[in-house]
């Protein structure tokens, strides 16, 4: 069974540019989560999808971040325009039952904004 | 708001030693607590998940305990090996009140096992 995959593994962009991160969850997992770790800080929750619906987006830092999950399969997280403080590692996770199941994490996308 | 603390931030032990990693959380209304391992440049690997109704879980040389009343969890590693060197993260699952069950992470403990 394939795990959670993320693309790209690393992205380097300049301030003001746009970047789109992609996450493919484990097949059959309705729940998809985005997390972020910025330098020196703990991993923090961004948002949670159940199928194609946003269940909780309370962790999204501001309106420069837009997450979508069309069709309830893969998800994208777009940052537009990117700022220096957006640099960090963006993780995606998925599970079947939100409350009780292990969340399975992808390898992350390392975003560097110059 | 849930806060998770891990002490120590870094730990170095000789190979073969047993060790305990600590995790404390502020909100006892957690649904479960998950321990992860992260290798440099890699993603998170789930090690153990303890539901709120459980007190411990075991997998091989790993044993995790959960005490909701005191807001603590420990990860015990027996007979440590150099391959155990990694950063260990604990995360508590709470309800956001919006039907979501987000994980709240600690900053992790970086473990080095010296051959």
């Amino acid at each position: 069974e394939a795990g959670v995959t993320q693309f790209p593994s690393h992205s380097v962009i300049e301030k003001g540019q746009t970047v789109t991160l992609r996450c493919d969850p484990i097949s059959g997992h309705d729940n998809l989560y985005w997390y972020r770790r910025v330098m020196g800080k703990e991993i923090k929750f961004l948002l949670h999808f159940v199928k194609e619906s946003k269940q909780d987006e309370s962790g999204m830092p501001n309106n420069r971040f837009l997450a979508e999950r069309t069709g309830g399969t893969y998800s994208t997280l777009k940052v537009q325009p990117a700022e220096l403080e957006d640099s960090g590692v963006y993780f995606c996770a998925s599970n079947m039952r939100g409350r009780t199941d292990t969340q399975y994490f992808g390898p992350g996308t390392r975003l560097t904004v110059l | 708001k849930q806060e998770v603390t891990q002490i120590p931030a870094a730990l170095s032990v000789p190979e073969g030693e047993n060790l305990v990693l600590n995790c404390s959380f502020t909100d006892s209304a957690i649904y479960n607590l998950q321990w992860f391992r992260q290798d440099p440049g890699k993603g998170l690997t789930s090690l153990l998940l303890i539901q709120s109704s459980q007190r411990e879980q075991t997998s091989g040389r790993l044993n995790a305990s959960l005490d909701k009343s005191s807001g603590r969890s420990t990860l015990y590693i027996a007979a440590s090996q150099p391959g155990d060197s990694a950063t260990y993260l604990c995360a508590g699952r709470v309800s956001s009140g919006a039907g979501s069950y987000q994980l709240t992470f600690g900053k992790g403990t970086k473990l080095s096992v010296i051959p």
Side-chain angles (χ1 to χ4, degrees), chain B:
Chain B
K1 181 185 173 185
Q2 178 75 278
E3 292 184 5
V4 177
T5 304
Q6 292 187 247
I7 295 174
L11 179 64
S12 183
V13 300
E15 181 178 1
E17 193 164 292
N18 302 325
L19 60 101
V20 175
L21 305 180
N22 296 294
C23 172
S24 62
F25 48 92
T26 55
D27 187 351
S28 62
I30 62 170
Y31 289 102
N32 50 51
L33 189 134
Q34 197 164 350
W35 281 92
F36 295 89
R37 166 186 174 138
Q38 184 176 24
D39 294 281
K42 302 292 179 91
L44 280 66
T45 300
S46 180
L47 297 173
L48 290 164
L49 172 69
I50 312 175
Q51 303 293 349
S52 60
S53 58
Q54 300 172 323
R55 293 193 64 84
E56 65 179 288
Q57 282 286 327
T58 298
S59 176
R61 294 183 293 109
L62 306 180
N63 177 278
S65 68
L66 176 64
D67 184 342
K68 285 183 59 177
S69 62
S70 66
R72 292 182 181 179
S73 176
T74 60
L75 179 66
Y76 174 82
I77 302 177
S80 58
Q81 303 171 358
D84 295 330
S85 298
T87 296
Y88 290 80
L89 299 159
C90 72
R93 185 167 309 166
V94 297
S95 172
S96 68
S100 176
Y101 303 99
Q102 57 185 265
L103 291 176
T104 300
F105 282 85
K107 288 187 176 182
T109 294
K110 185 175 182 180
L111 173 66
S112 298
V113 180
I114 312 302

Side-chain angles (χ1 to χ4, degrees), chain A residues 33 35 37 40-43 45 48 55-56 58 91 95 97-103 105-108, chain B residues 31-32 34 36 38 41-44 46 49 51 89 93 96 98-103 105-108:
Chain A
Y33 311 81
Y35 293 86
R37 185 172 199 166
K41 302 283 189 178
E42 64 272 23
I43 296 172
F45 168 80
H48 170 205
Q55 185 72 31
D56 181 1
S58 62
F91 293 102
N95 63 8
R97 289 175 292 272
R99 185 167 70 91
T100 59
D101 285 1
T102 296
Q103 290 189 17
F105 279 72
Chain B
Y31 289 102
N32 50 51
Q34 197 164 350
F36 295 89
Q38 184 176 24
K42 302 292 179 91
L44 280 66
S46 180
L49 172 69
Q51 303 293 349
L89 299 159
R93 185 167 309 166
S96 68
S100 176
Y101 303 99
Q102 57 185 265
L103 291 176
F105 282 85
K107 288 187 176 182

Side-chain angles (χ1 to χ4, degrees), chain A residues 4-9 22-24 34 90-93 105-109:
Chain A
V4 177
T5 58
Q6 293 186 245
F7 183 83
S9 58
R22 172 170 170 149
C23 167
D24 286 77
W34 284 98
Y90 290 75
F91 293 102
C92 175
F105 279 72
T109 293

Side-chain angles (χ1 to χ4, degrees), chain A:
Chain A
E1 178 183 284
V4 177
T5 58
Q6 293 186 245
F7 183 83
S9 58
H10 194 178
S11 180
V12 181
I13 61 173
E14 293 188 351
K15 175 182 173 181
Q17 289 185 323
T18 297
V19 62
T20 300
L21 314 181
R22 172 170 170 149
C23 167
D24 286 77
I26 293 173
S27 178
H29 283 189
D30 288 341
N31 294 280
L32 187 150
Y33 311 81
W34 284 98
Y35 293 86
R36 175 175 77 167
R37 185 172 199 166
V38 297
M39 186 72 73
K41 302 283 189 178
E42 64 272 23
I43 296 172
K44 288 195 173 179
F45 168 80
L46 296 178
L47 87 159
H48 170 205
F49 283 100
V50 178
K51 297 184 180 179
E52 67 276 7
S53 300
K54 292 176 185 175
Q55 185 72 31
D56 181 1
E57 51 185 331
S58 62
M60 295 287 265
N62 51 60
N63 59 10
R64 294 185 295 102
F65 289 75
L66 175 64
E68 295 180 323
R69 193 183 182 195
T70 306
T73 54
Y74 70 91
S75 174
T76 58
L77 179 64
K78 182 163 71 174
V79 185
Q80 179 184 28
E83 298 289 345
L84 299 179
E85 63 264 26
D86 300 332
S87 296
V89 181
Y90 290 75
F91 293 102
C92 175
S94 71
N95 63 8
M96 289 184 69
R97 289 175 292 272
R99 185 167 70 91
T100 59
D101 285 1
T102 296
Q103 290 189 17
Y104 296 93
F105 279 72
T109 293
R110 180 174 295 278
L111 174 64
T112 303
V113 183
L114 302 176

